[in-house]
Amino acid sequence: MTVLADGSGKIFEVEVAEKVFYYRVLWKGKEILVSRFDLDLSKSLRTLDIQKISLLKEPTPNGKILANLPKNLVFDVIENTHPLPKKLGYVKVKYEDQVGWVKRSSLSDDEFDIRFYQVSLETLVKPYTFLAREDNFKTELTIVGKDFIVTSCKIGELACNVTSRMGESSFGMPEEAVYFDLNLSDGKQYVCEMRRVDFVSELQRVIQEEITEEELDPFINCSPKEEETEQTDPEEVNEAD
């Protein structure tokens, strides 16, 4: 598979849906799109909260130790011995003025702070309240993290009733997601999706002091709810004939 780039070496990236990107690649003579989440391109990893993380001269257990690394340190991946999602082998990185290898199992593949690593979405958001806005349908939801209770819902000028349910993301990297089913007084129905990454990216901004806890405004994806088609029993059709 060949990743296509322009004359300056910049990779062609295509936005298929809002905040969902794909790379143009050549595979078996055909040009196709591959999600950036499925490729090890421009990948950053973060050291976990492990007692000792060593930077090794060679990618072997007995390699010479060049340095001991602090936790929560972000690296750009130079090279890897195994596909990154498998969490096996070693990853080549640069630390200060030294280049060496780190055990893949010592690194988080989550782009966010290690305090969020492998913590369930329900646990992470429990202390917070989020105001999520979606422009296409002028949707506003005030969401209490504990049990994902919606205390306020509006689409345009109309108020809506909301129920929430857990599921898996419908786009991007597979991950936890919350779905909100919206019912309006005029009979229209919408479904809004918020993924783990949408919540955590906002919590990361709080850590970095870009926003306060009162300004949490995660990305939300809303669309009209598809009507379920009524299934007809084949025997009933035959009897009607």
Side-chain angles (χ1 to χ4, degrees), residues 182-212:
L182 282 53
N183 295 285
L184 277 67
S185 56
D186 62 1
K188 291 182 180 177
Q189 296 181 316
Y190 294 83
V191 60
C192 296
E193 175 183 357
M194 294 177 66
R195 303 163 300 166
R196 185 181 190 279
V197 66
D198 301 321
F199 286 101
V200 177
S201 61
E202 284 296 283
L203 298 179
Q204 179 80 17
R205 294 178 67 203
V206 172
I207 290 175
Q208 295 170 343
E209 298 184 347
E210 297 174 6
I211 60 173
T212 67

Side-chain angles (χ1 to χ4, degrees), residues 32-158:
I32 61 173
L33 301 180
V34 177
S35 170
R36 62 179 174 180
F37 299 110
D38 295 328
L39 297 176
D40 289 348
L41 295 172
S42 303
K43 184 71 176 180
S44 295
L45 299 175
R46 190 185 292 263
T47 51
L48 289 169
D49 189 6
I50 297 174
Q51 188 172 7
K52 183 178 179 182
I53 302 176
S54 300
L55 181 72
L56 304 172
K57 187 173 183 180
E58 302 293 337
T60 63
N62 298 321
K64 179 183 176 182
I65 297 176
L66 301 176
N68 290 319
L69 306 176
K71 67 180 182 181
N72 215 21
L73 184 67
V74 180
F75 290 116
D76 290 328
V77 174
I78 299 172
E79 186 180 339
N80 36 291
T81 60
H82 295 70
L84 294 179
K86 292 186 178 297
K87 301 182 181 180
L88 299 172
Y90 293 81
V91 174
K92 181 185 277 189
V93 299
K94 183 175 182 180
Y95 174 61
E96 295 180 344
D97 60 346
Q98 299 187 93
V99 175
W101 297 85
V102 181
K103 276 188 176 181
R104 175 66 181 88
S105 58
S106 301
L107 300 170
S108 163
D109 52 3
D110 195 324
E111 62 183 292
F112 304 111
D113 193 283
I114 58 170
R115 72 190 72 181
F116 305 135
Y117 185 66
Q118 292 185 341
V119 179
S120 72
L121 179 56
E122 292 96 327
T123 301
L124 285 175
V125 303
K126 191 175 292 185
Y128 305 101
T129 297
F130 303 83
L131 176 60
R133 302 179 181 91
E134 199 269 354
D135 293 334
N136 290 339
F137 300 102
K138 298 181 179 178
T139 307
E140 273 194 17
L141 298 179
T142 302
I143 304 163
V144 176
K146 181 176 171 54
D147 299 325
F148 300 104
I149 295 172
V150 176
T151 58
S152 173
C153 173
K154 283 199 329 181
I155 294 186
E157 298 302 318
L158 293 178

